[in-house]
Amino acid sequence: MEENKGIIKIGNGLIKIDSKVMNICRGKALLIKVKEIKGPCKDERCQIICKTSAEILPIDDYVCIEQCIRRDLGNTTVLMERKIFDSIEKGREKVRIKISITGKIKIKGFTPC
C-alpha cells in the first residue's frame, strides 16, 4: 500500500502528490487554487488565462477557508477549489504535484475546463 500513500481519487481522475511535497506539508494544509489572469491584449476580448498554484498553509489558516473541498491524506490536509475538483472529475485527469528544481511546488497535468 506504499504506492497509494500520495494518491487522491476524484471520480475517474486522480491527484498524485510526490513524497517530497508530503514531507514538507506534514501537519499543514496544501491549498490548490486557480488564478485567472487577464491575457496580453489591450481590449476586453482577450481570453483569460488560468494558472494553477499551490501553497502551504499553517493549520490555523486553513480553518477559515470554507469554499474549498477538503481531503485528508495521512498527516496532510489537501484543500482544492471546487473548479479544480470538478475539472479533474469531468476530464478524468491525472494531476501530479511535485517540487521543482527551484524548490517551488509545481502542478502538472491539469487543464481547467
Side-chain angles (χ1 to χ4, degrees):
M1 286 295 209
E2 193 67 31
E3 293 177 340
N4 296 336
K5 191 174 183 181
I7 295 177
I8 300 172
K9 292 196 134 255
I10 301 173
N12 290 330
L14 60 91
I15 298 175
K16 183 173 185 327
I17 302 173
D18 196 42
S19 60
K20 290 180 184 179
V21 178
M22 292 290 288
N23 288 336
I24 293 170
C25 296
R26 187 162 301 194
K28 298 178 183 169
L30 177 66
L31 176 63
I32 307 167
K33 58 185 177 179
V34 176
K35 291 182 189 174
E36 293 181 348
I37 303 168
K38 187 177 176 193
C41 306
K42 304 273 186 215
D43 60 357
E44 295 297 320
R45 294 186 206 162
C46 197
Q47 186 175 3
I48 293 175
I49 301 167
C50 295
K51 290 191 177 188
T52 54
S53 66
E55 63 181 276
I56 300 169
L57 301 174
I59 291 175
D60 301 336
D61 289 351
Y62 80 82
V63 175
C64 63
I65 301 172
E66 297 175 3
Q67 311 90 326
C68 294
I69 295 174
R70 177 183 173 172
R71 296 281 191 242
D72 291 321
L73 195 60
N75 291 336
T76 305
T77 300
V78 180
L79 301 168
M80 65 188 92
E81 290 182 341
R82 179 55 120 174
K83 289 184 210 178
I84 293 174
F85 184 87
D86 291 342
S87 182
I88 292 171
E89 185 178 36
K90 182 179 172 185
R92 299 181 179 138
E93 297 177 345
K94 293 175 180 29
V95 178
R96 184 164 184 208
I97 301 174
K98 62 180 188 170
I99 299 284
S100 69
I101 295 172
T102 60
K104 293 183 180 180
I105 299 175
K106 296 294 258 183
I107 301 172
K108 298 280 188 178
F110 178 75
T111 51
C113 297

